[in-house]
Amino acid sequence: MALSARAEPDGSRSLGHARLILGGVSAAAATSGYRIRREGYQTSNLGQRGWQVSEEVLRPVAIEEQGGEAVLILGPRMTRHMEPGPVHLILPGLGETGLFWPETIEVFDGELPPDPVIPQEPPERLVTPRPAQPADDATVILRPAPPQPIPAESVPAAAPRKLPVVLMGMLLLLVVAAGVAWWMWPVEDPAAPPPPPLVVTPVPSAPPPPAPLQPQAAIWPDGTDDLSPRDVVGRANDAAAIFAVAMRRQAAGHFDDALVLMEEAAARRHAPAMTALGRLYDPIGFVPGRPFRTPDPRAAARQYAEAERAGDATAAPLRVALRAWLQQQADGGNASATTTLREFW
C-alpha cells in the first residue's frame, strides 16, 4: 500500500493539536519521527522554533493507531507555524508523501511553556556517612556550669585571734597616719605629654571613569558574499556569525537573504537576531518591501519579548514603544491590537 497522509484537528485535546493519519503505515513502524518541508521558500524545513534552513527530525506528542493506521499527534508548538496549503511529509526510512494542511486546524498563539529538560542521573558512588555538624549560622547559647558544692571538709575553719586588741589599735593608727602624710605631701604634676602629631593621609583622587566601550566591528566569515544562505549556515561557527552575515546582506539590499539568516540565528536563541526580526515586523518605522509588504505587530511583539528574555537590553525600549502604539490602536477599536496586548503584556 502506497504511503499517504491527511491532517485533521484533534478535538479530544486542547487548542492547537492536530492529527496526521498515515495510510499504509502501522503505529509500530512510525516511531522514527517525521519531517515537514515546503516548496518555494529558502527556510523550507520545519523545526522546533519554526521554519529554518537546516533539516530536523521532529517527534510527535503521541502516536496512536486507528483502523490499523498510525496517527501522529502534533502539538501547538508545531501547528502554530503551519499555514493552509500543500507541504511534503517525510517519514525517515518509510518514504515521502504530499500533505495538504487544512484551514480547520485552529492555531494556539499564546505563550508556550519552555521545553522540558530531562535531568541526568548522577553515577552511583559510595557515600560515607558523616556525623552531623552544627550549622555555621546556628546560635550557640552558652550556659554557665552549675556551681559545684564545696565539701564541708575543704572549708577552712576560722583562725583564732592571736593579736591583742591594743596591737590591732596601733596598727590602725599607723595606717591612718600614713594616709594623711601621703595626702599632704606636695607632688608636682608631671607635664602632660605633647599630643601626637596629626598625620594627614591624603585621600587618593577618584580614578577617571572608564572609557565607553567602542562597538567592535563585526567579523564577517571570509567569502560569504557569494554563498547561499544554506551554505552560510553550514559554514558559520555560531549564531553570532550567521547574524553578522544577515546584517551584511541587509545593508547590501538583499532583504530576503537577510530575513532567512536572521530567522536561523533567532532559532538558535541569538537575542540580537530576535530584536532585528522584531524591527522588520514593527509598524513603527516600517518600510515596505524590506522584505515584507505590510507590518505584523503580533510578530514584532513576540520577537521583542523573546529578545528581552534572552538578555538583549535594546529590545526593551522598542517593546515599550510598540505597546503604546498598540494601546492607541486598541482605544480606537482595533480588536487585533487588543488581543496582542493581552497575549504579550
Side-chain angles (χ1 to χ4, degrees):
M1 182 176 179
L3 177 64
S4 63
R6 70 179 187 275
E8 63 182 27
D10 190 342
S12 62
R13 290 178 170 84
S14 59
L15 181 67
H17 285 79
R19 294 160 53 88
L20 294 186
I21 303 173
L22 308 179
V25 178
S26 65
T31 58
S32 299
Y34 68 94
R35 288 175 38 220
I36 293 180
R37 187 180 72 245
R38 61 183 182 178
E39 298 294 341
Y41 296 86
Q42 292 181 332
T43 52
S44 57
N45 297 285
L46 184 61
Q48 289 289 337
R49 296 181 177 86
W51 296 101
Q52 59 191 29
V53 176
S54 57
E55 298 177 353
E56 183 176 351
V57 177
L58 306 171
R59 301 291 177 182
V61 174
I63 301 177
E64 300 177 352
E65 189 167 289
Q66 175 180 314
E69 297 178 332
V71 179
L72 305 183
I73 308 300
L74 274 61
R77 192 176 298 278
M78 294 291 100
T79 61
R80 70 190 309 173
H81 303 294
M82 300 296 295
E83 297 180 356
V87 294
H88 292 271
L89 176 67
I90 301 98
L91 302 178
L94 298 177
E96 178 178 346
T97 183
L99 172 67
F100 186 87
W101 195 263
E103 297 181 355
T104 55
I105 299 177
E106 299 184 12
V107 175
F108 175 77
D109 202 22
E111 292 292 330
L112 292 172
D115 295 332
V117 177
I118 301 177
Q120 299 293 331
E121 296 184 359
E124 296 183 357
R125 62 178 180 177
L126 181 61
V127 179
T128 303
R130 296 182 178 180
Q133 298 291 336
D136 293 339
D137 56 352
T139 301
V140 180
I141 301 177
L142 300 179
R143 302 183 181 275
Q148 300 295 329
I150 301 176
E153 60 271 18
S154 64
V155 178
R161 293 183 180 179
K162 295 182 179 181
L163 296 176
V165 176
V166 175
L167 182 58
M168 292 293 295
M170 293 177 64
L171 290 175
L172 180 60
L173 290 175
L174 290 175
V175 170
V176 172
V180 171
W182 176 84
W183 180 261
M184 298 299 293
W185 192 268
V187 178
E188 296 182 358
D189 294 334
L198 180 62
V199 179
V200 179
T201 303
V203 179
S205 58
L213 295 176
Q214 298 297 327
Q216 297 181 355
I219 302 175
W220 313 111
D222 294 336
T224 59
D225 290 341
D226 296 329
L227 295 178
S228 67
R230 181 184 296 273
D231 292 336
V232 170
V233 172
R235 299 186 186 186
N237 294 329
D238 51 22
I242 296 175
F243 179 62
V245 180
M247 297 304 292
R248 183 180 179 89
R249 297 285 172 95
Q250 186 181 57
H254 304 302
F255 302 112
D256 291 334
D257 286 0
L259 173 64
V260 170
L261 296 172
M262 285 181 190
E263 290 178 339
E264 181 66 23
R268 302 186 185 194
R269 309 304 299 167
H270 187 61
M274 300 175 189
T275 302
L277 274 177
R279 294 178 68 94
L280 294 181
Y281 291 111
D282 198 333
I284 302 175
F286 180 79
V287 180
R290 298 187 179 184
F292 306 114
R293 290 179 295 178
T294 56
D296 189 341
R298 177 175 296 188
R302 179 185 298 112
Q303 293 296 336
Y304 287 157
E306 292 184 0
E308 193 171 0
R309 284 195 296 268
D312 189 5
T314 62
L318 298 173
R319 190 164 179 251
V320 171
L322 177 60
R323 181 181 184 181
W325 184 91
L326 288 168
Q327 188 63 58
Q328 184 179 9
Q329 297 295 315
D331 294 341
N334 189 324
S336 177
T338 302
T339 303
T340 303
L341 286 170
R342 184 170 60 249
E343 290 180 359
F344 297 103
W345 280 276

